[in-house]
Amino acid sequence: MRQQLEQILVYGTLAFLLGCHLGLSKIIPLWAAVSLGVVFSLLFIGVCCKYWESKILAVLAVGIFFCCGAAIGSGAIRQAQLEIGSFTGQQVHLFGTAEPGSVKNRPEGTSLVLVCSAVQAESVAADTKDSFNTTAAPTNRTATAVAGKVRVFIKNEQLADKLAGKLAVRGTLKPLTNFANPGGWDGELWNELQGLQGRMSVSGSEVYLSGGSPGISDCIAGLANTLRQQLQSTVPGQAGAVLAGMTLGGYDGISAETRDAFARVGLAHLLAVSGTHIALLTGFLLLVLRRLNRYTLLVVAAILLFYAALCGFKPPVLRALCMSLALFAACGSDRLPQRSNIFCGVVLLLLCYQPRWLWDVGFQLSFVTTAGLLYFYPVLSGVCARYMPVAAAEVLAVSLTAQLAALPFLVHYFHQLSLAGLAANLFLVPLLEIAVLLTLAGFALLPLLGLGKLLFVLAGMLLLPLLKLIGWLAAWNWSSVTVGSWPYLCSAVYYLLLLLVLGNSDWDDFSNKERRLLIACCCFTLAGIGVYDKVRPQPLTVHFIDVGQGDAALVITPQRQTLLIDSGGLRGDYDTGRRIILPYLRYLGIRSLDVMLLSHGHHDHAGGAVAVAQNLPIGKIILPQEPPAADVQALLRNTKAQVEHAQTGSNYSLGNTELQIVSAPVSSSTAGDANESSLIVRVASAGGSIVFTGDATEDEELLAAGQIQPSQVLKVSHHGSDHSSCMPFLTAVRPQIAVISVGAGNSYGHPGSAVLQRLAAVGSQVWRTDLGGAIKITFDGGTVKCYSYRYQKEYF
């Protein structure tokens, strides 16, 4: 009976997760979840009275779990409240407090996240004196209560040490802008999980202190910031940033190269605070305190609570903290329940508290790895112990279990498998965790300045060679393999295969022969899906990648040859190649490029090319006839590809698809990045054709109009500037679809109203990346089909 209840809890938890996901996705509305839950409950009560041990009862219990998850996910326990996002575009006063740990001084000003409690429209706001230190701050007595958070940037002011207590901010509430591309970081989902609903850029005179002393959370966040500064001043550079990230959370100061290197060798989960660190700290404290009694457990629990507060109670930390505290409580009361029951209970409690954590990447990875350790580790450790010493077998089994359990999620989010991950987890993780323990001990002994900083130095000395080794491993081509995206069927079959191979008691009803047959079927299904993906028909496809105010497009021919035209580029240190284009290519399973073409050297077209060349083999690079700009020079230094300069009228063959250079003017600019040198090219196959124009000017378009052939699709020049896309050129191309690659809310006013009118006059259907995100166009059977990633993700 006890075993049956444990199984009901396990399957009920899985049903709860499914129901919560469907509720969050708005597939199951609240009324349907509640109604179905009442039906299941009534049936459960009726069956319970007569057939206590019936399997039907177990099914009904699992159904109740499912309905509870769906009800919670669809909003059963959340009160409706006006969202701050409903005031977007208005001049408002916002009232609230700075989120602990979010206030940071930047070179250009101060950034923070404002947790809003009330909003007051400018039309009803009281007149106030524009001074940061004024006591005549706006009042919220006539304000409207709201919920949500807003990113606030205070220009040209360093105010991190002043923004404590309650705040009021005056300015225009603007919408958040996010890139919408498959494979990369989902900014829209991240903002939703964090409760962010807008952004505001203000001057220091538009921020008001409303009084009040800092709360406990502000004090803890201030302490965490002080500890971080002490650590990074003692251990400068990447070593200090990585140690701060591993012990206190966040990625401040960690370069994109370091993050990529950790990801390629399967150690990305260690760059931020996770459940692994909580477990490590727990084990270390119990080892130091030795005697396990009620007082010891209370001390350990208090230390863990304080450390979790320092880290900001992130979902993986909170999950591990709850698991540890539950185990401590069980030990203290002399009752030790099954670990799986504790795990399921913690998962249910966390999702009841915050259902949206189900979509958090960290929560998902910590959930599947912990579940794997609970259910698969005993079998794997036994197998490993047959061939090696017990200590080594346990370490290897933990690493194998974590990677096997998380593999579908790693593929889903990163589209890579780390071949170096097993060795890295076996040999490098223990050393990295020693560095973490030294750093944590340094925090504890920081009042003894000499001893605390000495431990920081020792941790840095240990980490420096490890960072070099990780970078060396990541530089090898074999360190990771791009696998593309998996369909959900693959993940389901994969987990079924794991249960068949590593499960203990779940398959006792099957004979060995039946079990082997099921294993063979799972392997055949996975192999069949992989083979079909390689041999299925591939129409001519173009992906217009959302890179903001810039251009980047990927062409995939029917023979699966690849052509990347431009690579985007934004101001500041945001690398579009590393953070947008490479994840997009990995999502599609692309391991190399046959051709890269840059229309001209402007940063918004060539800024991401270096990162792409550093991470992918490129067969040929085609450049315009202009002196190389800074981005092009960097590209040439980082590639071994064949480099050619385009010539008007030349053609390049990509299987049965042709790349035609319609116009390749010679630049008169010595800077090497003039719009006048933009290439105009046409990609054509039997299925259809596309014209790419870069930032071609009206004069260049007029010269090309007499030579270009009609095409179904046009990439509109210069992001829709009114000074391009002249009528003779549009009449010559006669595009059915016009794609404008443009950034949301850009300061140039692109696309212009005049060019939109001209496109409408020639009958073009306009698609824009600022509105639809990435745009996918396929030419299949003479039909042109167009999809937007923001609204039609299922087609990507």
Side-chain angles (χ1 to χ4, degrees):
M1 181 62 187
R2 181 178 178 180
Q3 183 179 3
Q4 184 181 13
L5 290 176
E6 291 174 357
Q7 290 179 346
I8 289 176
L9 182 58
V10 171
Y11 292 122
T13 300
L14 294 175
F16 183 93
L17 296 176
L18 177 60
C20 188
H21 170 70
L22 296 177
L24 289 170
S25 303
K26 300 179 181 178
I27 296 176
I28 298 181
L30 177 59
W31 65 267
V34 173
S35 301
L36 192 59
V38 171
V39 172
F40 274 117
S41 299
L42 293 175
L43 290 174
F44 181 87
I45 294 172
V47 174
C48 185
C49 295
K50 296 184 178 180
Y51 309 103
W52 173 247
E53 296 188 1
S54 171
K55 290 186 177 180
I56 298 177
L57 194 67
V59 173
L60 292 174
V62 172
I64 293 173
F65 273 96
F66 173 83
C67 295
C68 290
I72 289 173
S74 58
I77 63 172
R78 286 173 290 180
Q79 297 180 352
Q81 192 172 14
L82 185 63
E83 295 185 342
I84 188 66
S86 60
F87 291 86
T88 299
Q90 300 183 36
Q91 185 84 7
V92 294
H93 282 119
L94 299 181
F95 302 89
T97 58
E99 187 174 61
S102 70
V103 183
K104 300 182 187 298
N105 283 332
R106 307 290 187 188
E108 303 84 8
T110 306
S111 65
L112 67 122
V113 173
L114 184 69
V115 182
C116 301
S117 58
V119 63
Q120 187 179 63
E122 182 72 18
S123 58
V124 297
D127 292 334
T128 59
K129 185 179 179 180
D130 289 339
S131 173
F132 178 78
N133 292 315
T134 183
T135 57
T139 174
N140 64 354
R141 283 175 293 184
T142 59
T144 304
V146 292
K149 302 176 184 178
V150 173
R151 288 192 183 277
V152 177
F153 185 77
I154 307 169
K155 297 175 286 189
N156 305 318
E157 297 279 359
Q158 304 293 317
L159 304 174
D161 57 339
K162 299 180 181 179
L163 299 178
K166 295 182 179 180
L167 302 175
V169 181
R170 184 182 68 185
T172 302
L173 184 63
K174 299 178 181 179
L176 292 167
T177 56
N178 301 294
F179 302 109
N181 296 295
W185 181 66
D186 192 337
E188 187 173 341
L189 176 60
W190 168 260
N191 291 332
E192 183 179 351
L193 292 173
Q194 303 303 312
L196 290 164
Q197 298 177 21
R199 60 188 173 93
M200 187 178 283
S201 181
V202 300
S203 63
S205 62
E206 295 173 309
V207 180
Y208 308 88
L209 288 175
S210 300
S213 58
I216 296 177
S217 58
D218 293 310
C219 295
I220 293 177
L223 175 59
N225 189 47
T226 300
L227 293 175
R228 186 187 299 272
Q229 291 175 358
Q230 290 285 340
L231 172 60
Q232 291 185 289
S233 64
T234 306
V235 184
Q238 284 299 290
V242 170
L243 285 174
M246 289 197 298
T247 53
L248 296 173
Y251 295 98
D252 288 350
I254 302 178
S255 67
E257 291 78 8
T258 299
R259 294 169 65 175
D260 283 349
F262 271 73
R264 286 178 67 84
V265 298
L267 299 176
H269 61 287
L270 294 179
L271 271 183
V273 178
S274 66
T276 304
H277 298 73
I278 294 289
L280 176 72
L281 181 59
T282 302
F284 177 72
L285 291 172
L286 292 176
L287 180 64
V288 171
L289 297 173
R290 293 188 180 180
R291 296 183 61 184
L292 188 63
N293 54 46
R294 183 175 301 176
Y295 301 104
T296 304
L297 295 177
L298 286 175
V299 171
V300 173
I303 294 174
L304 291 179
L305 278 169
F306 182 71
Y307 178 60
L310 276 179
C311 300
F313 286 116
K314 298 296 190 298
V317 176
L318 190 57
R319 189 269 312 163
L321 175 66
C322 292
M323 179 71 74
S324 298
L325 294 179
L327 284 171
F328 290 159
C331 293
S333 61
D334 296 325
R335 295 193 305 270
L336 185 62
Q338 294 291 326
R339 289 176 297 172
S340 64
N341 293 349
I342 299 175
F343 173 67
C344 292
V346 168
V347 170
L348 293 174
L349 287 174
L350 290 177
L351 291 180
C352 286
Y353 170 70
Q354 179 49 269
R356 293 186 184 275
W357 278 353
L358 180 63
W359 285 350
D360 181 81
V361 179
F363 181 88
Q364 292 173 3
L365 290 175
S366 65
F367 169 78
V368 295
T369 52
T370 304
L373 291 172
L374 287 173
Y375 300 112
F376 301 146
Y377 169 75
V379 176
L380 273 176
S381 62
V383 173
C384 294
R386 299 176 191 171
Y387 305 101
M388 59 183 67
V390 175
E394 290 181 353
V395 174
L396 179 61
V398 168
S399 177
L400 272 174
T401 302
Q403 292 187 67
L404 289 173
L407 188 143
F409 286 85
L410 294 174
V411 170
H412 177 75
Y413 287 111
F414 305 110
H415 318 295
Q416 288 182 305
L417 290 180
S418 175
L419 301 182
L422 186 60
N425 278 273
L426 186 60
F427 298 108
L428 297 182
V429 167
L431 297 175
L432 288 169
E433 296 293 10
I434 291 173
V436 170
L437 286 175
L438 287 172
T439 306
L440 292 175
F443 290 150
L445 299 175
L446 199 56
L448 306 173
L449 291 177
L451 185 54
K453 291 194 173 183
L454 175 61
L455 292 174
F456 288 165
V457 172
L458 291 175
M461 291 175 62
L462 175 59
L463 188 62
L464 275 174
L466 294 179
L467 289 178
K468 292 181 179 179
L469 181 57
I470 290 170
W472 178 77
L473 287 173
W476 288 86
N477 292 331
W478 51 263
S479 62
S480 63
V481 175
T482 298
V483 294
S485 58
W486 272 13
Y488 290 119
L489 176 61
C490 275
S491 298
V493 173
Y494 173 83
Y495 281 121
L496 176 60
L497 181 61
L498 273 189
L499 287 171
L500 287 165
V501 174
L502 300 178
N504 278 325
S505 58
D506 294 333
W507 306 95
D508 291 342
D509 294 337
F510 293 90
S511 66
N512 288 335
K513 182 177 180 180
E514 291 171 334
R515 189 165 176 168
R516 287 195 295 269
L517 180 61
L518 285 173
I519 291 174
C521 289
C522 289
C523 294
F524 179 79
T525 301
L526 290 175
I529 293 174
V531 171
Y532 172 75
D533 186 62
K534 298 297 182 184
V535 301
R536 64 183 174 87
Q538 167 66 52
L540 177 65
T541 304
V542 185
H543 297 262
F544 292 93
I545 305 173
D546 179 12
V547 291
Q549 187 69 10
D551 273 10
L554 174 71
V555 179
I556 305 176
T557 72
Q559 285 72 42
R560 289 181 166 78
Q561 292 183 285
T562 52
L563 163 66
L564 180 67
I565 300 179
D566 289 336
S567 57
L570 298 172
R571 296 175 182 175
D573 58 356
Y574 191 97
D575 190 336
T576 55
R578 193 177 301 276
R579 301 180 66 175
I580 296 179
I581 295 177
L582 282 171
Y584 202 123
L585 298 178
R586 289 167 183 155
Y587 172 83
L588 298 175
I590 294 173
R591 300 183 179 92
S592 63
L593 290 172
D594 293 287
V595 178
M596 173 190 283
L597 182 145
L598 298 181
S599 63
H600 64 300
H602 270 165
H603 182 68
D604 60 335
H605 291 252
V610 175
V612 175
Q614 289 173 337
N615 289 272
L616 288 181
I618 302 175
K620 181 180 296 184
I621 295 176
I622 302 176
L623 300 176
Q625 296 192 57
E626 62 178 12
D631 290 314
V632 178
Q633 293 177 25
L635 169 65
L636 297 176
R637 290 193 300 267
N638 286 274
T639 185
K640 297 180 181 178
Q642 176 186 351
V643 178
E644 295 185 14
H645 287 83
Q647 301 288 333
T648 299
S650 59
N651 292 338
Y652 298 89
S653 177
L654 294 169
N656 62 1
T657 302
E658 278 196 350
L659 170 61
Q660 305 166 355
I661 308 298
V662 178
S663 174
V666 178
S667 173
S668 58
S669 170
T670 58
D673 59 357
N675 289 337
E676 289 80 5
S677 62
S678 283
L679 300 178
I680 297 179
V681 301
R682 182 174 183 267
V683 177
S685 73
S689 57
I690 319 102
V691 172
F692 297 89
T693 56
D695 281 352
T697 62
E698 182 176 351
D699 291 340
E700 187 182 350
E701 288 179 341
L702 289 172
L703 292 174
Q707 308 169 37
I708 200 164
Q709 300 177 35
S711 298
Q712 289 97 327
V713 179
L714 169 69
K715 198 291 298 180
V716 176
S717 178
H718 205 181
H719 323 293
S721 166
D722 281 338
H723 301 292
S724 298
S725 303
C726 62
M727 203 63 192
F729 182 77
L730 295 179
T731 303
V733 178
R734 297 201 302 274
Q736 301 172 22
I737 295 174
V739 178
I740 304 177
S741 185
V742 62
N746 66 86
S747 59
Y748 305 99
H750 295 162
S753 57
V755 75
L756 292 176
Q757 292 174 4
R758 291 197 290 269
L759 289 169
V762 296
S764 292
Q765 182 183 9
V766 176
W767 291 69
R768 295 165 46 173
T769 58
D770 62 331
L771 301 179
I775 306 296
K776 175 182 176 181
I777 297 179
T778 61
F779 300 84
D780 195 2
T783 303
V784 183
K785 298 178 180 178
C786 197
Y787 308 100
S788 157
Y789 182 72
R790 182 163 275 134
Y791 304 108
Q792 300 164 297
K793 294 183 179 180
E794 65 274 14
Y795 291 99
F796 282 76

